[in-house]
Structures are given as structure tokens and as C-alpha cells.
Amino acid sequence: MNTPLPLGAALLTLAALAATPAKAADTPEARVIVKLKNASPLKQIQAAGRVQSLGQRIGIAAQLIGQPTPDTQVMRASGISSEALAARLARESDVAYAVPDRLKTIRALPNDPLLGAQWYLQAAGASQPAATGAQSAWSLTPGSAGVVVAVVDTGVRFDHEDLAAKLLPGYDFIASDLLSGDGDSGRDADANDPGDYLSSADLANTALRTLCGNPSSTHASSWHGTQVAGIVGAEANNGRGIAGIGGATRILPVRALGKCGGYDSDIIAGMRWAAGLSVSGVPTNPNPARVINLSLAGSGTCSAAYTDAIAEIRAAGVLIVAAAGNETGAVEEPANCAGVLAVAGIRHAGTKVGYSSYGPEVGIAAPAGNCVNVGTGQPCLYPFINTINFGATTPAGNGYTGVNDITVGTSFAVPLVAGTAALMLAANPTLGEAELALRIKRTAKLFPVDASLAACPTVTGDGQCNCTTTTCGAGMLNTAAAVAAAIDGNAVNPNVVVSLPDSPVKNTSLSLGSGSSSAAAGASLVGWHWSQLAGPATGSFGADTPSTTFTAPVAGDYLLRLAITDSAGRTGVQDVTLSVLDAPPKPSSSGGGGGTLDPIGLIGLGLAAAAAALRRRTGR
């Protein structure tokens, strides 16, 4: 079973959980989220009957264990894997979809407690260009208690001195008693985090061990939700601890991750409840969130279950912000779902931090913590200072992580973005979720270029690379500029649009333009700079003009960048891939054709794909 985990202080990964092979005696148990088509006759009976009928059809004894939405059922069956059950159900003519109910995990790479300076909230500078400038944003708005950010995570410690005044009641959505570990049965109104540790007794529990993917060792509690909540909204100006980026923003704890992580069905139910939507068997949320923070992830493409839920939540006007993942690979679920603002992690210097996942689904990059060099007895230089509980397993005293703790991970980049959105809503409550995401992207800072690193997706041995707008989002989070843009919608960076030649061929002068680019109202475009980030060497390429030419010595993919500055001093950027051919495509023998490739039609295409696209689009 695929068992994604929480993303923070426990450093549990799918690989670690699957390290020990399953024993023959460990019988698989399937969990699948099923949605019926509107015309299905089973829609006329109660949910439990639907599940039983579906099971009977395929010769399996199935049980209803939950309804994350009114139209979906979670069914459980023994002796079959979730993937196999989902595949069999999906073949039924009246099933809209059936997807495995997978676990998601926290996505931070942690250690323990106590630090000193929240560098990521300071003004960006030469030594830390990735800093968000949040302190400047607080001069525009202190935040608002009327803005709610839901933290869907492991729950929180309600007794933490820096969180108690900021927390709303919340809810516990973990339906499995094995995962929950709180001594209660099923879902309840207690979102306190009892600890997500795995003990030797847990490892001796065959059912739990099987559910968790047969881990081979114990681990301590992460207190991950408490850490994330502190980054968003730890109480400021109270003479102790840290300040959350969201100022007066209130936090709605939604507990969906326990021992080994959390099931998709629990996460989806928690997300919907947080947005004010109905969830079967749970009272309506009296404090709907405007922003949902998902510092969690798991492998796999975006499922139909998440697609449905995200569409509902967005329709309710709620922004969803999620971690890209810590796998130095493809963006994970649910960050890879359309409509989610996915966050990649960057180092203090603005380059992609080695562990962060990356790809075209990313919307924005934010500091995720990094240590630079850590020797014996040396502190981590750029960690997060987080609210924490000091209990190794069950709760103990509360406090803060410190300079000897490696508190890093994309889990901690997400709440910086969620807290920024909360400040924007405090400044302008009329903003919709799409407009929030757009202004966060359109105010992003330009990614720097480290000459010692390749451009992403090419990475060094430790996973680092220079971010581009096609791999790490629109740029680096700029909280101060985003809040200013919430107040004045025209205070955004130029919109950069690069036009490329229809059929680029080597050893010819290729025209590159920016004629469709534009500045915000009240500003004009005043500066242009072209550069090459990756691809075969071309000698010197660079111009400070609206249009330029480019000559490729050999066929291949060339990654180019255009940065445009407006009269207000704001800079927008676009990275494009120019796929150059050996020779022009040959016309077809029939002479058919007509039509041209749109100006940016070759962006991001490899050589073979570009040639195929040209043939398809021109009829040649």
C-alpha cells in the first residue's frame, strides 16, 4: 500500500515506510473513494447499500467507512489492494470514478527544537535574496482576525503559549482509530495533536504495521501541525517566542494526519469542512477559512477525488496552497492538481533547495530552510524557528525550535505563502481565490542565477539548480509587494510574453520579440534584458532591446530568459525553451498545409516534440 506521510519533524518518507517487505501473513486491506454517475440506480439507496451492492457485483465483501463528500463513498475490503479494487470498480458502467484512498505525509525534513532569527520574514538582501519582506508588509496591514487560515495537518497543541489566543476550535477528521492515536473513536471536535509517534508497541500491532507499509523502526512525534500553525499565525507583540507571518490571522486546525500520515478521504473531508462545505456526520464549520494550508504530499497524479473537491472549494472562494514535495522530482499530489497554488522550496540564496520537488505545476517559490554547511557542533544557518512541543512521543512542555535543529522542508514554505494570502485578504477582503494567486505570482521576485549551477530541471548531486519560471513557479515570494498589490491591483510586475519563430533552424538568425508584453496601469515598459540560461554554447547572447536575434550553432533546446522592467521599477520575467531544428520541415507531397504555429507554440517542447507539433499544426 502506498503510504504518504506528514511533511515535518518526523522525516517519514514513503521509501522509509516501505523499507521492510510485507510478511505473507499481513493481509492487504483496500480503501477506495467511489463516485457514482448521476444516472446510476444505486443513487436511489443509502450510501451503505451502494457500497454493499458494488461489492456484491464484483464478488467482494465491502463496507462503507465514510463519505468525504455527499456524492462519494469510501469503501473498505480485505484481501485485495486499493489499486486493484479501484481498477475493478472503475470498469463498472455506472461508476464515475474509483480511486485509491491513499495516505498523504508531511513534507519537511526535520530534527528537533530551538532557534533565533526569522530571517525569512526580513527584507531581501544580498546575503538572503529569498527573504519575503513580510516585516514591510506589516506596515501596510497588521492582518485581521476576520481572516481564517485552515491548517490541515496533524492537529495543534492548543496549550502552546504563542498559539492559544489565535486558534479556533477546529475538528479531527481521522476516521481510523489506528491512525488517530488519540484514544477517541472516529472523528470528533478535538483537533489537539496527541503525537504522531510510532512506538515498539505500534510496530507489534500487525494491523497498524501493515497500514503503515511495514516500517522497520520507531520514530518520535513531529508536532508538525503546531510548527506550521506557528509560521502562519504565532501571536505577535506578546513579548515571547516568534511572530507568525499572517499577523492577526486566526488559525483553524483541521486534524487529518496521524500515525503514518493521513488518508485522502480524511484530507478531502477536512478540506471541504474547512471551506464551509457539508461533510456527512460532522457539524457545519462556523468559521470557514479563506485559505487552506496543505503542508503534506504523496506520490501519484491528481486523482478525480481531489479534482472534484478542489473545484467545490474554489467555487466557495477558498485558496488552496500546497507543498510541491521533498522528493527532488515531480510535483506530488495534491500540489499537482489544477487550481492549487503549489509551492516549491528555495534556499536563502534563491536557488532551488536540493530536496524540493519542482515542475510546471509550481506556482510560486518560497524559503524552505537550508543549513548550507553543518559540521559537528555547528548550527543550521538558515532553518525555521517554529512553535513546537518537546514531547518525544506524547505531549510535554511547549517551546520553539532552535539553532541546532534542522527545521527545513517544503512544509514550511507553504505557510509563508498561505500567511501572505491572509495578509492580502486583510488588506482587501473582496479578493477572490484566483485573484489572490494571480497577484502573488505577478509580484514575485526574479530568480537569481548562480553560475556554478545548471538551470532546473538539471540538478547537481545534492539536488540544487537555478530556478526558472517553468520549474519553480513565477518567482520568489514577495510578501510586501503582494500585499501592496492587494490594495492596488495595478501594483504588479510587467506581464512578459515572448514571441518565438515558427520554425527555428540552426545557423540562421532567429527573431525573438516581446511585443505582446505589457505594464500595469499607470506604468510603461522601460527596460529589457535577454539572456541564455541553458543549452549549447552560443558565445555571447544578450540584448537590452524589446526584440533581438538569436543564432543557434547546433540543433537542440535552448533555455532563454527575458526580464522586463517598468517605469515603477518592477521587473517581470519569462523563461522559454527554443527548440531548434537541423532543417526546416519538409512540405508534404500533396502540398497540403496552411496555418502557422502560434508565437509561443514551441515553448517547453523538446526537439522531437517540436518537429511533431510543427507537422501537426502546419499539415506538413
Side-chain angles (χ1 to χ4, degrees):
M1 176 182 288
N2 182 5
T3 54
L5 298 178
L7 269 134
L11 182 50
L12 298 178
T13 65
L14 295 178
L17 288 176
T20 304
K23 296 180 180 179
D26 294 334
T27 303
E29 180 181 78
R31 290 176 58 115
V32 172
I33 304 173
V34 185
K35 181 177 181 179
L36 295 170
K37 294 179 180 178
N38 288 334
S40 171
L42 295 181
K43 296 272 285 188
Q44 306 304 314
I45 62 178
Q46 292 184 340
R50 299 173 195 171
V51 167
Q52 291 174 1
S53 295
L54 284 170
Q56 289 170 359
R57 284 188 194 176
I58 60 176
I60 290 176
Q63 175 187 4
L64 174 71
I65 56 174
Q67 281 190 277
T69 75
D71 290 332
T72 59
Q73 295 76 226
V74 184
M75 60 186 297
R76 178 169 61 196
S78 299
I80 186 172
S81 70
S82 297
E83 291 73 16
L85 178 57
R88 292 173 64 174
L89 289 168
R91 290 195 290 267
E92 294 297 308
S93 61
D94 58 345
V95 170
Y97 64 73
V99 296
D101 188 12
R102 298 182 289 231
L103 288 166
K104 291 295 178 285
T105 68
I106 52 180
R107 280 293 184 268
L109 307 178
N111 242 8
D112 295 64
L114 251 103
L115 191 98
Q118 292 176 274
W119 62 273
Y120 38 87
L121 301 182
Q122 299 169 8
S127 62
Q128 49 190 43
T132 64
Q135 292 176 356
S136 297
W138 295 338
S139 66
L140 300 175
T141 176
S144 169
V147 177
V148 176
V149 174
V151 175
V152 181
D153 214 290
T154 64
V156 299
R157 290 309 306 164
F158 278 79
D159 56 359
H160 197 290
E161 59 188 17
D162 231 358
L163 294 176
K166 304 293 292 296
L167 297 174
L168 293 164
Y171 212 84
D172 179 0
F173 278 87
I174 302 177
S176 167
D177 294 344
L178 288 173
L179 285 181
S180 185
D182 60 2
D184 299 329
S185 181
R187 295 172 175 172
D188 56 61
D190 183 5
N192 255 299
D193 185 354
D196 57 359
Y197 64 94
L198 274 183
S199 65
S200 56
D202 291 327
L203 296 182
N205 183 323
T206 301
L208 179 59
R209 191 180 68 249
T210 301
L211 183 155
C212 292
N214 293 286
S216 58
S217 61
T218 62
H219 66 74
S221 290
S222 66
W223 311 112
H224 189 264
T226 299
Q227 296 194 62
V228 171
I231 297 171
V232 176
E235 188 176 4
N237 299 319
N238 61 352
R240 59 184 174 229
I242 63 172
I245 189 172
T249 302
R250 289 189 297 170
I251 305 299
L252 179 70
V254 179
R255 187 167 183 251
L257 306 179
K259 294 176 184 288
C260 308
Y263 279 112
D264 290 329
S265 55
D266 292 341
I267 295 168
I268 289 170
M271 291 168 61
R272 294 183 74 260
W273 181 83
L277 303 174
S278 64
V279 176
S280 177
V282 176
T284 302
N285 174 17
N287 301 294
R290 292 292 306 274
V291 182
I292 294 177
N293 186 106
L294 300 177
S295 292
L296 51 84
S299 61
T301 57
C302 183
S303 72
Y306 273 109
T307 299
D308 270 4
I310 289 165
E312 284 188 281
I313 291 166
R314 294 185 69 199
V318 180
L319 176 67
I320 303 170
V321 189
N326 292 338
E327 301 304 315
T328 318
V331 177
E332 296 189 293
E333 188 186 39
N336 57 19
C337 295
V340 172
L341 183 55
V343 184
I346 50 177
R347 302 170 71 247
H348 66 290
T351 52
K352 188 188 82 69
V353 69
Y355 53 79
S356 178
S357 297
Y358 56 102
E361 302 92 343
V362 175
I364 194 72
N370 59 282
C371 298
V372 187
N373 296 310
V374 177
T376 303
Q378 292 180 331
C380 180
L381 297 183
Y382 294 95
F384 274 74
I385 314 162
N386 295 340
T387 45
I388 193 73
N389 186 275
F390 292 136
T393 54
T394 56
N398 295 305
Y400 306 87
T401 58
V403 294
N404 293 316
D405 301 319
I406 305 175
T407 45
V408 301
T410 54
S411 270
F412 303 144
V414 177
L416 292 179
V417 179
T420 296
L423 288 177
M424 295 169 70
L425 287 167
N428 183 356
T430 67
L431 291 176
E433 58 88 24
E435 191 62 30
L436 282 171
L438 179 63
R439 296 190 194 191
I440 288 172
K441 295 175 185 178
R442 286 287 304 277
T443 55
K445 295 176 292 184
L446 177 68
F447 289 121
V449 176
D450 183 335
S452 68
L453 297 175
C456 306
T458 302
V459 299
T460 61
D462 61 0
Q464 293 187 57
C465 54
N466 285 316
C467 279
T468 69
T469 60
T470 57
T471 53
C472 303
M476 301 185 293
L477 176 66
N478 188 341
T479 300
V483 174
I487 298 169
D488 177 5
N490 294 319
V492 293
N493 297 333
N495 181 37
V496 181
V497 180
V498 177
S499 62
L500 300 179
D502 288 351
S503 52
V505 177
K506 69 179 182 180
N507 294 320
T508 60
S509 181
L510 306 173
S511 296
L512 310 176
S514 63
S516 297
S517 301
S518 60
S524 58
L525 303 180
V526 298
W528 295 259
H529 182 68
W530 299 85
S531 58
Q532 180 180 350
L533 300 180
T538 59
S540 60
F541 169 73
D544 295 330
T545 53
S547 61
T548 188
T549 59
F550 180 82
T551 301
V554 296
D557 289 345
Y558 295 79
L559 181 61
L560 309 178
R561 170 173 289 180
L562 172 59
I564 300 181
T565 303
D566 67 13
S567 53
R570 298 181 292 253
T571 300
V573 64
Q574 182 64 51
D575 299 326
V576 296
T577 298
L578 179 66
S579 293
V580 177
L581 308 174
D582 277 309
K586 294 181 180 180
S588 65
S589 58
S590 64
T596 59
L597 191 66
D598 64 83
I600 58 172
L602 294 182
I603 293 176
L605 297 179
L607 180 57
L614 281 166
R615 288 194 294 272
R616 289 195 300 272
R617 298 288 292 278
T618 63
R620 298 173 182 170

